[in-house]
Amino acid sequence: MNPALSELGRIYPPERLLVQPGQLVPYESDALTAFRARPLAVVLPETTDEVVQTIGWCARHKVPYVARGSGTSLSGGSLPVEGGLVIGLNRMNKLLRLDPAERVAVVQPGFINLEVSNAAAPYGLYYAPDPSSQPVSTIGGNLAFNSGGAHCLKYGMTSNHVLGAKVVLPTGEIVELGSQSLEGVGPDWLGLFVGSEGLMGIAVEVTLRLLPKPEKYHTVLAAYDSLEKAGNAVAAVVASGLLPGAMEIMDHLAIEAAEAAVKAGYPMDARALLIVELEGEAPEVEAEARHLGDVIAASGAYEVRVARDADERAKIWKGRKAAFSAVGRLSPDYLVQDGVVPRSKLGQALLEIERLSQQYGLRVANVFHAGDGNLHPLILYDGKVKGQLEQAEALAGEILKLCVSLGGSITGEHGVGMEKKAYMPAMFSQADLALMRRIRRAVDPDELANRGKMFPHSEAPALTPHGPHPLEKAGVIWRE
């Protein structure tokens, strides 16, 4: 490959073409850290033309590639392809245009999620999708995995806020998908692209929809003596006719971790906390707040707090947003799962997860977007204890199967990636999967773009409990 790499050297200066082992280490894994793989090289483009030239190089030499932003994927979606190229897009991080009148922003893929709202704030606007990783995750990555966040209950996922994208296909061709209009014409190619996990090309420009900032917030923190009661309270809120901006649940382990990390002031004796946030015009929020108070009072909460100002609201959300990383204080290692169940089945799902936790002898912390039934169980284990990783993986698989059996999904917002591809047949027939692959091959006949992800060629490495994976035996990937 040396002659081929020398071709890349004519596109990139040495500081943006990384080939030395020490330079490649930061790119060997994403946020699913149980596995690592070393790429052939990493390139750091700064322009669309460099991306096009790089894709052309990959096509000529049949080199698979993965586009990467901040590497916050929790499903192994940005794990390097063995022997392939990593295209790091963080330097394509410009705000190209912000139009307050049209309420749109055009950004490059490496632009940070939270910075969109920061740029729009002087105009009374903001960008609604708010994954917990929003201070570091990129718009390109959010688009690839159709990220959600705490407020997706009311405002939807990334797909509901992307109006258009300029995309470099695996052939090197540049196409424009969607437009600034809210009404599309013809097939929804943009809808097909958003959430395709990098299998259909690389977005180099993204047009985002901005919304007016809510006039008023009403944030409630309710404490319960059981997780089941908190789950049933969510169903009660929705059944009452209210549509909050967000509804989140944390169990006692997540509360303990968040409190240790950020001192959010949560009640430490609670078995579960429910956060409900109303937002909108002041008269509407004030009327809904009274209704919400009645529903929460009837739900069995033993303590209810209402944020009195912006600082108290920020403190409540700081604990929730920090929960994932804070769990690291409770355990040296943990797996984050991402499944969905119908809201009416939340209580049943949580009881079953608690039973599975006891069966496998592993603690499970629960933090999740309760409003849309998106569970995020965090399975705590110690990778240094023989067999515990395999136990954690097996438990994760049981939780995914549980979600499907209750009428839900194996993923809500983290994507399929490497981690969940073995469970795709639990949701889709072989005919469904074959159709998906035919669509993918129509765009990328050689399957160079993020090869090996999403489709169940074999068991996903991170969920195989039956001994070392073949790539692990070959020394290509390894466990930590």
Side-chain angles (χ1 to χ4, degrees):
M1 290 298 296
N2 285 339
L5 283 177
S6 68
E7 288 183 33
L8 284 178
R10 291 193 286 272
I11 303 173
Y12 296 97
E15 65 271 17
R16 293 196 286 119
L17 172 57
L18 312 182
V19 295
Q20 299 301 320
Q23 296 175 313
L24 301 178
V25 167
Y27 299 90
E28 291 177 353
S29 182
D30 56 17
L32 183 69
T33 56
F35 279 88
R36 296 177 180 270
R38 183 163 295 177
L40 172 71
V42 176
V43 296
L44 304 173
E46 295 180 348
T47 67
T48 295
D49 184 60
E50 288 180 342
V51 174
V52 171
Q53 290 186 64
T54 303
I55 297 303
W57 178 89
C58 291
R60 286 194 305 276
H61 297 284
K62 306 299 181 187
V63 175
Y65 61 88
V66 57
R68 176 188 170 108
S70 296
T72 56
S73 168
L74 289 160
S75 64
S78 50
L79 185 74
V81 181
E82 189 268 323
L85 188 69
V86 172
I87 303 174
L89 298 170
N90 296 80
R91 297 196 181 198
M92 296 183 66
N93 58 0
K94 294 182 177 61
L95 172 64
L96 301 175
R97 183 165 69 89
L98 196 154
D99 188 333
E102 293 290 338
R103 295 181 180 173
V104 300
V106 182
V107 303
Q108 291 182 312
F111 201 75
I112 299 298
N113 175 299
L114 187 59
E115 292 304 314
V116 180
S117 291
N118 291 341
Y123 307 99
L125 303 172
Y126 80 115
Y127 179 62
D130 61 338
S132 294
S133 60
Q134 68 177 155
V136 295
S137 64
T138 63
I139 292 298
N142 291 172
L143 183 150
F145 289 89
N146 195 22
S147 300
H151 290 79
C152 64
L153 169 63
K154 185 172 185 177
Y155 297 105
M157 312 288 280
T158 296
S159 58
N160 300 106
H161 301 271
V162 174
L163 298 175
K166 179 185 287 187
V167 175
V168 181
L169 298 177
T171 59
E173 178 186 0
I174 298 177
V175 296
E176 299 271 0
L177 306 178
S179 69
Q180 288 191 26
S181 171
L182 295 177
E183 298 295 334
V185 177
D188 186 10
W189 301 118
L190 180 65
L192 177 65
F193 184 79
V194 176
S196 61
E197 302 194 16
L199 271 64
M200 294 187 177
I202 299 175
V204 290
E205 291 183 16
V206 186
T207 302
L208 304 173
R209 180 166 68 111
L210 304 176
L211 299 178
K213 293 177 69 175
E215 179 185 358
K216 184 179 179 65
Y217 293 97
H218 178 80
T219 308
V220 175
L221 178 73
Y224 294 85
D225 57 17
S226 78
L227 195 55
E228 184 180 16
K229 284 184 180 179
N232 291 335
V234 171
V237 170
V238 175
S240 74
L242 292 169
L243 181 59
M247 282 196 288
E248 301 285 300
I249 285 180
M250 302 168 62
D251 73 1
H252 67 287
L253 282 176
I255 296 166
E256 178 187 342
E259 192 63 24
V262 300
K263 305 292 189 295
Y266 291 155
M268 293 301 293
D269 58 341
R271 298 296 295 176
L273 292 179
L274 172 63
I275 301 171
V276 185
E277 183 162 274
L278 305 172
E279 55 187 55
E281 296 182 355
E284 175 189 12
V285 171
E286 289 165 3
E288 289 184 344
R290 292 189 291 272
H291 187 19
L292 176 63
D294 293 339
V295 174
I296 295 297
S299 69
Y302 72 84
E303 181 178 345
V304 180
R305 301 177 187 175
V306 178
R308 293 169 292 184
D309 52 37
D311 287 342
E312 288 192 2
R313 173 180 178 259
K315 197 172 183 180
I316 289 173
W317 280 113
K318 185 177 182 180
R320 166 59 187 90
K321 294 282 188 177
F324 273 21
S325 58
V327 168
R329 293 171 175 261
L330 305 182
S331 175
D333 301 288
Y334 61 91
L335 291 179
V336 181
Q337 262 310 336
D338 165 52
V340 182
V341 298
R343 283 189 297 258
S344 61
K345 302 291 181 65
L346 270 175
Q348 182 181 347
L350 294 170
L351 278 176
E352 182 62 13
I353 290 173
E354 186 174 2
R355 186 192 69 78
L356 288 169
S357 171
Q358 295 171 356
Q359 176 184 326
Y360 280 84
L362 296 172
R363 294 185 298 167
V364 178
N366 287 285
V367 185
F368 53 95
H369 308 314
D372 58 354
N374 190 185
L375 302 172
H376 290 315
L378 296 95
I379 302 166
L380 313 187
Y381 71 97
D382 186 347
K384 294 179 181 177
V385 177
K386 186 177 180 180
Q388 274 209 5
L389 172 59
E390 290 75 14
Q391 282 286 96
E393 291 169 338
L395 174 53
E398 292 284 355
I399 292 173
L400 292 180
K401 293 174 185 175
L402 168 67
C403 291
V404 174
S405 71
L406 292 176
S409 166
I410 61 172
T411 181
E413 58 181 348
H414 294 175
V416 176
M418 291 290 288
E419 181 193 34
K420 301 188 185 78
K421 65 179 187 176
Y423 295 93
M424 288 285 277
M427 285 191 65
F428 301 103
S429 70
Q430 290 303 313
D432 293 333
L433 293 170
L435 175 59
M436 292 179 196
R437 291 202 65 179
R438 287 202 300 273
I439 293 172
R440 188 265 174 91
R441 286 173 174 165
V443 178
D444 181 11
D446 295 318
E447 297 194 6
L448 297 179
N450 216 4
R451 178 184 288 174
K453 311 294 173 59
M454 190 184 290
F455 293 107
H457 305 293
S458 60
E459 288 292 306
L463 287 173
T464 302
H466 305 299
H469 187 273
L471 292 179
E472 190 176 4
K473 291 179 180 178
V476 175
I477 56 178
W478 58 92
R479 300 178 185 240
E480 285 198 337

